Amino acid sequence: MNHTYQELADLIFPEVKQTIEDLEKEYPERNLPKESEVTRFAPSPTGFLHTGSLFTSLVAYTVAKQSGGVFYTRLEDTDQKREIEGSGKQLIDQLKEFNLAPSEGYLGDEEKGSYGPYIQSKRSEIYKVVIKWLISIGRAYPCFCTAEDLNELRLTQEANRVIPGYYGEYAKCRYLSVDEAYERIQKGEKFVIRFKSQGDHTKYIRIHDEVRGDLDLPENDQDIVIYKSDGLPTYHFAHLVDDHFMHTTVVTRGEEWISSLPIHVELFEACNFRRPKYAHLPVIMKLDNGNKRKLSKRKDPEAAVSYFLELGYPVEGIIKYLMTIANSNFEEWLIANPNKDISEFHFSFSKMSLDGALFDLPKLENICKETLAYYSKEKISKEAYAYAKKYSPELKDLIERDFDKFESIMNIERGGEKPRKDYTKYSDIYSHIAFFYEDKYLELVKQNSFEFNPHISNDLTISILEEFKSTNDYSLNEQDWFSSLKALGERHNFVAQFKLYKKNPEAYNGHVGDVANMLRVALTTSSRSPNLFNILHILTKEEINKRIDLAISYLKGEN
Ligand code: GLU
């Protein structure tokens, strides 16, 4: 018997009738302008959205968007042993929370687009067409090696101190005759399909990377497995077929894939597929005791994007921060254009730093703080409410009591040229604003009591508070009101000008700041609070008087 490669291919995949040409017709070139890029996010459903993957997705999304192209998602679930139930949908949902929603692909609940299916486990018919063809031309072959065979091979290679793997003379099954392979399959022996490499690892190939420029890498010579005994292909093969038929133009992925690039390049050539461009992005690192290391899923809570969502860091702030890692000129642009939408920034691969990007939490927090400070009261209130509904029942409760009141609180010292910068994240809000609500204020009084200045006598404080209660004019504007506060202080020998007080502190009981502080403490329990005038206009007069009475009875030692 003299079986041909084609007969071997037919024996292995008798059900496969389609050809690569049929597939090319089914998935024709996309109808896009020449400069448009098609990018993808291709996660494996093996866990949460990693901060590094968010970064890669942001770059992929931006590149597609600014070139008028397409950003799509594909679920790479061929390693079904590692799959975590529900994580595919979770990954996409989290991506959407960062406003990086794909316009095509696997969207969590559904699939959208004409290049699907977008879930690899549903694409096995497509992979088989290409694998069958590779077998028929002698570029792929069945391998019958068992786990024990491979283990033995590894031990031999270790003993001989040669590069490990299935290649060259060690690739036992590549030397089986077609007839022998044919017979063993007919007998029902188990097998996988391997790619027959023609490479030589002592030679180098040059591959261009959009971020790194030209890379010189040793050729691949490994006969990698492309089709497993479970009927699914491996990542190397599957992603390549998908990127081809989905017409990806730039593959953006982590730099950990650079070492596999020669395999992919050889596979693309063997399949006669045009290679996409590559952009291998830096891995996000962390400084740990002075040493740089990768963000670790196990050790670093900030490795998961859920960390930021649960604490309520504004999505816009996180995206801006990641952009500062993506492009070195972004920060300068941001400072010059604080109010522009970041989609107006032109991203470029050439401005990406090559060193592992260092994750800098204080910097991220600073950007988030700036971002929140410049939100309108409507925007911050709406976003905080959306956050509270998901993650903070106690904040949700306060907001739902009276949305207008919440908005007025969020409006304190907002909108001017120098807005107040007291929130880094939505989870900071509750403790800052709780005192505005009667029951929470009473809890604070119980917990912390009142932080009155111990250097001012209680009697003096009481008389000022009493006088404030009976004389304060709520109709005054801020400036006039402050003058009235100064006058009140002066009647009790608290000087209006701090400078005068400093020159001669013995001559006075204090200065107007001390007077404001008495009120602040009575109304909020603490000597740190936002603008007093605003507080006086958010609380009702009745609430204010009740609080002052409570503070006075405390000063009198009555409670
Ligand atoms: N599924 C691969 C991963 O989870 C994707 C790599 C790629 O983007 O090609 O990392």
Side-chain angles (χ1 to χ4, degrees):
M1 285 277 259
N2 260 330
H3 286 296
T4 60
Y5 286 134
Q6 184 62 56
E7 283 166 340
L8 183 62
D10 286 337
L11 177 71
I12 296 174
F13 296 116
E15 75 284 14
V16 176
K17 303 283 183 239
Q18 269 188 315
T19 63
I20 295 187
E21 291 70 49
D22 295 334
L23 291 177
E24 300 288 7
K25 278 191 207 119
E26 205 176 322
Y27 303 109
E29 288 283 348
R30 289 170 182 268
N31 196 4
L32 287 172
K34 216 168 142 258
E35 66 284 1
S36 300
E37 304 287 11
V38 179
T39 62
R40 83 302 193 272
F41 173 46
S44 300
T46 52
F48 53 75
L49 185 63
H50 195 274
T51 305
S53 310
L54 179 66
F55 175 61
T56 319
S57 304
L58 169 65
V59 171
Y61 176 92
T62 307
V63 167
K65 188 143 189 218
Q66 76 184 17
S67 66
V70 175
F71 170 64
Y72 72 89
T73 32
R74 178 172 76 223
L75 198 63
E76 304 210 321
D77 62 343
T78 58
D79 191 352
Q80 303 211 308
K81 287 193 293 286
R82 290 178 56 226
E83 180 153 354
I84 294 174
E85 179 80 28
S87 72
K89 178 174 156 40
Q90 193 194 347
L91 286 162
I92 304 301
D93 286 347
Q94 289 182 330
L95 206 59
K96 288 183 196 158
E97 288 212 49
F98 286 92
N99 301 322
L100 301 177
S103 55
E104 176 185 319
Y106 166 73
L107 304 183
D109 304 303
E110 49 159 352
E111 290 183 57
K112 199 172 129 196
S114 10
Y115 292 87
Y118 294 92
I119 301 177
Q120 287 186 329
S121 58
K122 291 194 194 166
R123 297 174 62 79
S124 76
E125 298 316 308
I126 297 174
Y127 305 126
K128 283 182 193 169
V129 171
V130 186
I131 294 173
K132 183 172 183 179
W133 179 75
L134 283 173
I135 298 171
S136 78
I137 59 160
R139 286 304 304 271
Y141 63 90
C143 167
F144 303 92
C145 288
T146 59
E148 292 87 73
D149 293 334
L150 296 177
N151 198 31
E152 215 171 280
L153 173 65
R154 191 176 53 79
L155 295 175
T156 316
Q157 289 173 331
E158 265 172 28
N160 297 345
R161 293 171 186 268
V162 294
I163 297 174
Y166 207 85
Y167 64 98
E169 60 185 293
Y170 300 101
K172 209 166 83 188
C173 292
R174 72 146 64 193
Y175 301 106
L176 294 178
S177 69
V178 177
D179 283 347
E180 198 176 334
Y182 198 96
E183 267 165 42
R184 288 174 76 167
I185 290 170
Q186 269 190 324
K187 273 198 236 140
E189 232 181 282
K190 269 188 118 180
F191 63 92
V192 296
I193 306 285
R194 287 186 185 270
F195 174 60
K196 194 186 281 175
S197 171
Q198 292 175 345
D200 173 350
H201 76 257
T202 63
K203 292 193 186 136
Y204 278 75
I205 42 163
R206 178 160 289 184
I207 309 163
H208 184 76
D209 184 273
E210 299 296 308
V211 181
R212 287 147 212 276
D214 286 343
L215 300 171
D216 289 315
L217 299 168
E219 282 182 12
N220 171 58
D221 63 354
Q222 299 274 345
D223 285 1
I224 62 148
V225 175
I226 54 177
Y227 184 77
K228 300 174 290 172
S229 52
D230 65 1
L232 284 172
T234 52
Y235 161 74
H236 294 304
F237 186 72
H239 94 281
L240 173 127
V241 171
D242 296 344
D243 281 332
H244 174 71
F245 288 113
M246 295 176 185
H247 301 282
T248 308
T249 62
V250 199
V251 168
T252 53
R253 61 183 175 191
E255 64 186 336
E256 67 273 21
W257 293 104
I258 291 178
S259 57
S260 323
L261 205 46
I263 302 177
H264 304 156
V265 168
E266 198 190 358
L267 280 170
F268 269 111
E269 279 165 11
C271 295
N272 293 325
F273 292 161
R274 192 177 59 226
R275 219 161 70 198
K277 289 179 274 188
Y278 286 100
H280 288 92
L281 309 186
V283 163
I284 299 188
M285 313 281 276
K286 175 173 177 147
L287 212 51
D288 187 0
N289 277 330
N291 298 319
K292 267 191 185 183
R293 63 163 173 82
K294 271 193 193 176
L295 267 190
S296 138
K297 293 189 197 185
R298 242 176 345 99
K299 289 191 234 160
D300 309 314
E302 71 271 32
V305 302
S306 53
Y307 171 81
F308 299 104
L309 294 174
E310 280 160 22
L311 285 173
Y313 285 89
V315 159
E316 209 177 309
I318 298 171
I319 294 292
K320 280 182 196 161
Y321 171 67
L322 291 177
M323 271 312 238
T324 66
I325 301 185
N327 262 187
S328 51
N329 54 331
F330 177 73
E331 208 168 343
E332 211 177 288
W333 179 88
L334 187 63
I335 294 168
N337 303 285
N339 297 318
K340 277 199 184 155
D341 191 283
I342 66 164
S343 61
E344 292 183 45
F345 171 76
H346 187 83
F347 168 85
S348 131
F349 282 119
S350 61
K351 297 230 165 61
M352 187 171 259
S353 138
L354 289 183
D355 303 331
L358 212 50
F359 192 79
D360 184 345
L361 191 62
K363 182 165 175 183
L364 178 141
E365 295 203 320
N366 196 36
I367 293 179
C368 287
K369 198 176 255 186
E370 289 288 324
T371 302
L372 288 182
Y374 287 96
Y375 275 4
S376 67
K377 70 168 184 198
E378 289 84 6
K379 181 159 181 177
I380 192 165
S381 307
K382 196 171 129 246
E383 300 277 330
Y385 185 39
Y387 164 77
K389 279 196 278 192
K390 259 194 174 151
Y391 299 106
S392 171
E394 52 180 10
L395 179 61
K396 174 175 177 278
D397 164 50
L398 293 191
I399 298 175
E400 287 178 349
R401 289 183 194 185
D402 181 347
F403 195 81
D404 289 343
K405 174 173 174 171
F406 177 64
E407 223 176 52
S408 314
I409 297 171
M410 297 319 287
N411 197 33
I412 296 176
E413 293 173 74
R414 182 170 296 280
E417 248 173 61
K418 280 208 176 127
R420 192 176 172 87
K421 297 178 182 169
D422 42 9
Y423 306 119
T424 298
K425 48 195 185 299
Y426 298 119
S427 57
D428 294 341
I429 295 177
Y430 178 83
S431 62
H432 276 69
I433 70 164
F435 74 83
F436 278 104
Y437 300 85
E438 198 56 27
D439 52 334
K440 304 292 168 194
Y441 164 81
L442 292 173
E443 275 171 30
L444 286 170
V445 171
K446 246 196 210 148
Q447 275 165 25
N448 315 338
S449 151
F450 292 96
E451 291 176 3
F452 282 113
N453 182 347
H455 304 296
I456 297 173
S457 78
N458 288 1
D459 286 346
L460 198 50
T461 306
I462 292 169
S463 46
I464 289 182
L465 288 175
E466 294 275 18
E467 193 176 329
F468 175 86
K469 226 178 88 181
S470 52
T471 61
N472 189 53
D473 181 351
Y474 288 91
S475 67
L476 296 179
N477 66 28
E478 185 161 5
Q479 211 182 354
D480 293 344
W481 173 78
F482 197 61
S483 304
S484 78
L485 192 74
K486 284 181 184 163
L488 165 64
E490 275 172 339
R491 289 196 291 276
H492 296 265
N493 196 25
F494 284 81
V495 67
Q497 280 169 293
F498 186 66
K499 253 199 256 158
L500 291 179
Y501 173 76
K502 253 201 125 180
K503 254 194 223 157
N504 196 3
E506 310 302 314
Y508 308 99
N509 284 329
H511 54 89
V512 64
D514 295 320
V515 178
N517 203 44
M518 292 171 192
L519 273 172
R520 202 183 288 285
V521 173
L523 300 179
T524 75
T525 76
S526 157
S527 53
R528 286 170 311 275
S529 84
N531 180 303
L532 192 54
F533 181 77
N534 292 133
I535 296 177
L536 287 171
H537 287 270
I538 290 173
L539 296 173
T540 62
K541 185 172 173 188
E542 196 195 337
E543 279 171 326
I544 292 167
N545 288 344
K546 248 168 94 181
R547 290 184 185 201
I548 292 179
D549 286 342
L550 188 70
I552 290 174
S553 61
Y554 163 83
L555 289 165
K556 288 183 175 163
E558 290 167 4
N559 56 4

